[in-house]
Amino acid sequence: MTLAAAAEAAVAAALRRAPDPEHAARLADALLAASAGPAIDRAAAAHPDRLARALAALCGVAPFFTPLLSHHPAWLPALLEDDLREPLDPRAAAAELDAALAAAPDAEAERVLRECKYRWLARITVRDASDDLVPLERSGETLLELSALAELLLDRALRVARARAEGRFGPPVWRRADGRERPAAFCVLALGKLGAEELNYSSDVDLVYVFEAVGEATLGPQALTPDDYWTRVSQELARLVVAETEERFLYRIDLDLRPEGDRGPAVVSDEVLAGYYETAAHHWERVAFMKARPVAGDLALGWRAVRAIDPMIYRASMDYAGVRRIRALQERVGRERGGDAESFDVKLDPGGIRDVEFLTQARQLLHGGRIPQLRDRSTQRALTRLAEVKLLPAESARALLGAYRFLRRVENRLQMENEGQVHRVPQRPAARQRLARAMGFEGDDAVARFEAALARERGAVLDAVASLRVEGGAHAILDLFARREPALLAQPGMRPLLDTLAERFASAIDATADPGLALNNLDRFVEGLGRRRFYYQLLLDRPELVPRLAALFAASRHLSGYLARYPRLIEPIFADPGQLLLSRDALRADLAALRTGEAADGGYEQELDALRLFHHREVVNVGLLDIGGKVSRAEAEGALTEIAEVAIEGALALARSELARRSASAPAVDADACFVVVGMGKLASRELSYGSDLDLLFLYDSPSLEAQEHCVQLAQRLISVLETPTAQGTCYEIDSRLRPSGNQGSLVTSLASLRAYHEDGAQAWERQALLRARAVAGDAAAAAAFEQLRREILSQPLPPDAAAEIHRIRGRMEAELASETQRHRDLKRGRGGLLDVETATQYLQLRHGREHPELLDVDRTERQIARLDALGLLAPARARDLAEGWEFLQRLSSALRIVENRSIADLDTEHGDLDALARRLGYAEGARESSPRNALLRDYERHTEAIRSAYLVVLEAS
């Protein structure tokens, strides 16, 4: 076609500045010929400069557009009539797309979506390629426009996919077991550049498909489960988005960031997603999820899912260990990619886009838990906010923003040539010159000036990374001191002391197996120390304490909590690191020494503190030996039981003296002589674990009413001595509900009443409880009388329905207390849990104890299983399943308590790193499907199923 003189001159001038002028001129001629007609004539005459700008961009910078525009001759005139000074209006674009989809038959949806994409992408391209419309400092507008376009197209493609699925299978409504119907929502989450609203020109879109969990659905559309239904929707969405047609494609979809990656299901419920990120996600997956946001479907569901995971990403304490992990991954990628000056990958190489993103995300990870405004998905906005809160020098933020924008524009120019996923600066001279000119560098020295600019911006990134490197080490620990107790640094002479301690702790923590856990526990410890200079000086004077503390902090939240709450435990605990478990006599001597030192004036409060200090010291000593591998689990549990018994002895003596002091006169009978404290459950069988309550039964052997009243007061005072909080905390929580009639019965029971209670028909579980009942303090004669009575009761024949009744009680506990689901597992009360082993073992003890009195001895569960096996009362295979399962569950529960300081009631959704826990139990790192966590859970399923099978054989065969 023939252009007016003004338009021809403008076009010629613009094409001379194109990346490849001759090639651009040929494409422009072809495009003008294909677009010839009154519309282009009018537009060219009215807007010659716009025509020049459009041809330079769409035939020069992005020449892949020429065939598309030639195929749609109305596009170019319409583009010339558009005012490109403003970004794409998503609402106007959505209205236009909706109208086009409504006017076209369903089979044409793919075409409509693609035509709208490229028509609007042409507009974005012209704007970005025109420096007067979008200068470099505003280039973030282009990334935002590209993201908004992708978001709109994905949302409308999902609507089409859902409509097709509903036409085929019906609406997504499920009926639950109670008859109520429940619709389910569906959402597409975007991660990566799209999630950050910084999408590049030709990029995969990283997506995660999430549907709303509907509980136990029993009936859905065409009998499809929610997983099946939404999987089919996602497959239809993929066909709409990914398929190559004559109108090209919408986007390449990458689902590798979904739970379990390419081996996981295509769609997940919001509950499964939260559970995965809470218990199973690798650290890099949590980092990737920092950019997650909903882009299509039910956005409210999407935001709920995202916000549920936020606490797992942004920690209240500073996550230096997490920063180290993502730095290691980044450096490995950098080494693999290379990054020489001649062939620079703007995305992955050192000094590239990824470096800027890492530096930004590292600070977001460290401080986002405390400063919510830093939790921004956009790298550009996050850099600005980091500068606003003074976590990044303003000059550094400006330099990084400038470099980031330059590198992102280079990336887009590389991809505009053929809408390809290109990130590497080309080496061929002609291609390099084309890129330089596309970036706006003209003249004979265009390549040299582009290379100088690239080197300058890359250097700015490298300089910032070097100067702003986020360290753990001494810097992190000194920052921790300053953050927790800023007044410390102002005290005379404290800065050099803290500098030295920071260096020592940094070295010791880096040498541990879990530096992240160690640093978090050190944080708690410093908070507990407060401003008490004495302890910092002690650590400085006793340098051998630092590595021991670091090892403890890296191994146990539970034990670290003791030191954080009671810092005075430091010196006596670590006085003799070679000390092994104390005998009972040594424990008694230790308690006596503490009572002498702490309560020299005989004060009751001081006596309570001495008892608590004794408890804390000895428990931590056992824990140190336990996590150090110097004692077995059975030895540790036995030692914890010894500590409890000595504490009960001491508490009983203190209760007696305090009761005597408060009483106006002594009782007429020697009531103390008939009182006995009976340990029940794990205390009796010497299987006490960390943090266990004490199950106690209080008995007396006297017909005197006055003796009963005195023993009630004594038991009440004993409970108070053990439970009452003081400045040194508490010793134990006491549970006395195993007495006759439970909470409705008297706190103390006479031996005669106990005998009558069981003769009158106590329940089967109450007899079962006597299998683990042992006198632990009080009158020896009363203790012997109780043991004789216990054996008499247990030797009575079982009622015919005993097995059924015990099985019924066990079933109620599982149903009402465990409440297990696919996500929640209860080690103790759940299916195949510890109570299954105990119940099966104890039933056989009850059944055969009359013929084999040794079965009535109070002993550890594994020894009872071995006795039953040796006596031929339990099949060898079943005995093996129960014994191995018991050992597995006990090891797991012990680790949960001492390492994670967690209840064993919920294996999946309690906070804590299940992978780290599995590694501590000896599970090796592997591929995703064989990760330590997955291997642990597979063993859990195997053992609990074997336990349940053995349990059912024992109980149902009876």
Side-chain angles (χ1 to χ4, degrees), residues 283-284 320-336 358 469-470:
H283 189 269
W284 64 263
Y320 286 101
V323 171
R324 282 198 296 270
R325 285 195 287 269
I326 59 173
R327 180 194 300 135
L329 177 63
Q330 179 211 25
E331 289 175 348
R332 188 182 75 198
V333 171
R335 287 193 301 272
E336 293 172 353
F358 164 74
R469 187 177 176 87
V470 174

Side-chain angles (χ1 to χ4, degrees), residues 517-830:
L517 179 59
L519 196 61
N520 286 336
N521 282 326
L522 174 62
D523 193 352
R524 298 164 62 200
F525 177 65
V526 170
E527 183 180 18
L529 290 184
R531 302 179 189 177
R532 290 173 283 189
R533 180 169 180 158
F534 165 78
Y535 292 109
Y536 295 98
Q537 190 67 54
L538 173 65
L539 292 173
L540 188 69
D541 295 342
R542 298 277 306 278
E544 75 278 8
L545 295 182
V546 172
R548 294 178 203 162
L549 279 172
L552 173 66
F553 292 157
S556 173
R557 285 188 175 90
H558 180 70
L559 299 179
S560 298
Y562 275 110
L563 294 186
R565 292 190 297 274
Y566 316 114
R568 62 179 298 185
L569 295 174
I570 301 171
E571 190 172 21
I573 284 175
F574 291 106
D576 182 5
Q579 177 178 284
L580 296 180
L581 298 175
L582 296 180
S583 66
R584 179 170 293 211
D585 286 341
L587 289 171
R588 287 169 172 154
D590 191 19
L591 176 57
L594 281 170
R595 292 180 65 184
T596 301
E598 294 291 317
D601 61 355
Y604 180 64
E605 292 291 337
Q606 289 73 29
E607 292 273 12
L608 293 180
D609 284 343
L611 187 63
R612 281 142 184 76
L613 183 59
F614 161 79
H615 169 267
H616 303 337
R617 280 177 52 169
E618 302 307 336
V619 168
V620 173
N621 179 56
V622 173
L624 288 168
L625 296 170
D626 192 356
I627 62 179
K630 296 180 180 179
V631 295
S632 67
R633 178 180 59 79
E635 288 173 325
E637 291 172 352
L640 292 171
T641 304
E642 289 284 308
I643 294 167
E645 292 190 42
V646 171
I648 293 170
E649 287 178 2
L652 181 57
L654 181 56
R656 280 173 170 159
S657 64
E658 181 64 11
L659 201 58
R661 185 182 69 80
R662 291 171 178 251
S663 298
S665 60
V669 298
D670 187 7
D672 284 355
C674 66
F675 182 75
V676 64
V677 181
V678 174
M680 307 289 287
K682 290 184 176 182
L683 175 60
S685 58
R686 298 178 175 84
E687 297 172 304
L688 215 58
S689 56
Y690 299 97
S692 287
D693 295 347
L694 299 184
D695 294 313
L696 298 182
L697 175 64
F698 303 110
L699 302 174
Y700 69 100
D701 190 14
S702 171
S704 165
L705 182 60
E706 187 178 8
Q708 179 189 16
E709 292 174 352
H710 178 77
C711 289
V712 167
Q713 294 175 358
L714 185 58
Q716 290 170 337
R717 178 59 57 180
L718 172 60
I719 292 172
S720 174
V721 170
L722 291 170
E723 285 191 336
T724 299
T726 74
Q728 299 301 322
T730 65
C731 281
Y732 297 98
E733 293 292 323
I734 305 302
D735 189 340
S736 58
R737 290 174 297 176
L738 290 177
R739 64 187 186 268
S741 300
N743 285 337
Q744 283 72 46
S746 173
L747 180 61
V748 298
T749 305
S750 70
L751 288 177
S753 295
L754 183 65
R755 179 187 296 277
Y757 182 79
H758 279 275
E759 287 176 351
D760 288 344
Q763 296 184 55
W765 70 265
E766 292 176 297
R767 185 189 293 197
Q768 184 182 343
L770 289 177
L771 288 166
R772 294 195 299 178
R774 178 173 59 85
V776 295
D779 180 62
F786 165 71
E787 175 61 13
Q788 180 180 345
L789 175 59
R790 186 186 73 88
R791 286 182 173 271
E792 289 177 15
I793 294 170
L794 292 174
S795 298
Q796 296 301 310
L798 282 177
D801 63 344
E805 177 62 12
I806 290 173
H807 183 43
R808 184 186 69 81
I809 295 295
R810 172 70 188 100
R812 276 190 61 188
M813 295 181 71
E814 181 179 343
E816 296 175 11
L817 300 178
S819 301
E820 288 193 307
T821 67
Q822 187 177 1
R823 287 180 54 210
H824 300 82
R825 295 172 174 85
D826 189 322
L827 274 70
K828 181 179 180 180
R829 296 165 297 200

Side-chain angles (χ1 to χ4, degrees), residues 170-194:
V173 177
W174 282 266
R175 181 171 298 160
R176 299 193 299 194
D178 59 9
R180 289 184 295 170
E181 290 191 339
R182 171 74 184 275
F186 182 81
C187 180
V188 177
L189 300 182
L191 283 72
K193 295 290 196 301
L194 178 55

Side-chain angles (χ1 to χ4, degrees), residues 96-105 108-110 112-113 156-157 160:
E96 189 176 334
L97 176 54
D98 289 342
L101 286 170
E108 295 291 308
E110 286 87 342
V112 172
L113 289 165
R156 294 318 190 263
V160 173

Side-chain angles (χ1 to χ4, degrees), residues 5 13 68-69 273 397 410 442 534 680 695 712 758 916 919 929:
L68 280 167
L69 293 167
L273 184 72
V410 171
E442 300 179 28
F534 165 78
M680 307 289 287
D695 294 313
V712 167
H758 279 275
R919 285 192 291 270
E929 69 275 12

